[in-house]
Amino acid sequence: MTDHVLIERRGPVQSIRMNRPDKKNAITRDMYAAMAKALTDGDADGDIRAHVILGVPGAFSSGNDLQDFMAVAMGGEGGREVYDFLLALANAQKPLVSAADGIAVGIGTTIHLHCDLTFATPRTEFRTPFVDLGLVPEAGSSLLAPAVLGRQQAFALLGLGEGFSAERARAAGLIYAVVEEDDLEDAAFAAAEAIAAKPPEALKIARDLMREPRDQVTARIKEEGAHFRARLKSDEARNAFTAFMNRKKSG
Ligand code: COA
């Protein structure tokens, strides 16, 4: 197992922290596997009432590891880790709270569409450059973002790849609240503890009623995944990954 994901318990709250600061929390296959396991283990544990998903100061996540994408683009096997993580996320049985500071790219943005409460600092920018990378939206975002943000803001996010400041993300409904950096984790844990103090059966029914039909989200994750895997091997994607790898050499 990787040490790039730290799992801790604070009473009834499980925290899942991406911890790969030197790569701005780019997510590797091992990290997806560790996070999927944490979610399913936490869901199965009667003492856990909520999950909190965290990054490090300045970087929630820079998205999928582009080296891993490049490996697939060059003919390698992709593996199931991302898919298993997305299913665990979309089907999580316990409420999900997330806290983002700084960079939130790709799945570092779309993950929050599955969360019940997301806190972000003023310097956070949410961005999904899927199309610019020759790719397509993932994590069910092509279904969830139009439902959450409305079609036009969703197009700006997923189609144009516009950056959303924390304030814009809050106004658009992508996140719950903007809080200062020093208060971020306290706010997220306080929210998770408030959730944990609610009657769990009633809260579970209420939450289940409020979520998009899970089978539709799962079907969309699958449909997006088929396009995504094909796009990873496209010239558009290969060229974009190569440009990222070479950017420091040429700059
Ligand atoms: N995959 C792999 N490595 C990544 C990465 C990613 N998604 N994002 C950042 N890194 C690495 C960089 O290559 C760099 O490694 P190095 O120090 O060995 O050269 C390190 O993390 C720091 O990144 P750097 O680009 O120097 O930081 P920055 O603050 O200038 O920029 C980003 C941060 C996130 C804006 C920029 O790294 C970026 O655009 N990353 C790609 C994001 C992306 O397209 N993700 C996929 C979405 S589907």
Side-chain angles (χ1 to χ4, degrees):
M1 268 288 166
T2 174
D3 55 3
H4 289 145
V5 175
L6 307 177
I7 315 294
E8 283 173 11
R9 285 181 68 145
R10 284 202 198 182
V13 176
Q14 170 175 257
S15 78
I16 303 172
R17 183 187 299 278
M18 292 173 278
N19 184 42
R20 197 188 178 206
D22 55 322
K23 298 291 181 187
K24 310 279 172 174
N25 274 349
I27 309 177
T28 60
R29 291 169 59 176
D30 283 351
M31 290 168 72
Y32 285 115
M35 292 196 289
K37 183 170 179 339
L39 285 173
T40 48
D41 286 355
D43 276 350
D45 183 335
D47 294 334
I48 296 290
R49 297 276 185 89
H51 307 281
V52 175
I53 303 177
L54 305 160
V56 294
F60 178 72
S61 172
S62 59
N64 200 102
D65 189 294
L66 288 175
Q67 301 274 6
D68 283 0
F69 275 173
M70 188 60 153
V72 178
M74 300 313 284
E77 281 298 313
R80 280 191 58 91
E81 295 88 349
V82 180
Y83 184 60
D84 288 346
F85 170 67
L86 295 179
L87 291 190
L89 185 68
N91 294 294
Q93 297 299 308
K94 311 272 170 79
L96 298 162
V97 177
S98 54
D101 177 40
I103 293 165
V105 182
I107 195 161
T109 287
T110 55
I111 205 169
H112 306 294
L113 290 164
H114 295 273
C115 291
D116 300 286
L117 295 172
T118 296
F119 296 84
T121 60
R123 67 177 176 177
T124 304
E125 186 188 62
F126 298 92
R127 195 162 58 83
T128 61
F130 298 122
V131 171
D132 292 325
L133 290 170
L135 302 172
V136 295
E138 40 68 306
S141 58
S142 62
L143 181 71
L144 295 171
V148 169
L149 309 174
R151 189 185 295 267
Q152 301 218 357
Q153 293 298 317
F155 185 81
L157 182 73
L158 298 177
L160 298 181
E162 275 181 11
F164 276 49
S165 68
E167 190 44 49
R168 181 177 176 188
R170 191 204 57 74
L174 176 63
I175 68 168
Y176 171 61
V178 182
V179 295
E180 292 301 324
E181 280 150 54
D182 286 349
D183 301 327
L184 179 68
E185 298 206 355
D186 286 348
F189 280 105
E193 276 150 24
I195 288 168
K198 298 288 178 196
E201 290 172 19
L203 187 71
K204 174 162 171 33
I205 296 168
R207 179 175 185 266
D208 287 348
L209 286 168
M210 283 188 277
R211 296 184 78 85
E212 293 288 311
R214 289 177 193 260
D215 52 349
Q216 282 181 29
V217 178
T218 300
R220 183 59 64 92
I221 288 171
K222 229 181 233 177
E223 190 182 347
E224 291 168 344
H227 287 293
F228 204 100
R229 282 191 297 280
R231 295 301 309 164
L232 280 173
K233 295 180 188 298
S234 69
D235 285 344
E236 288 176 352
R238 243 192 309 262
N239 292 340
F241 303 153
T242 306
F244 178 75
M245 306 299 167
N246 291 337
R247 75 200 191 293
K248 284 188 180 168
K249 288 180 209 156
S250 58

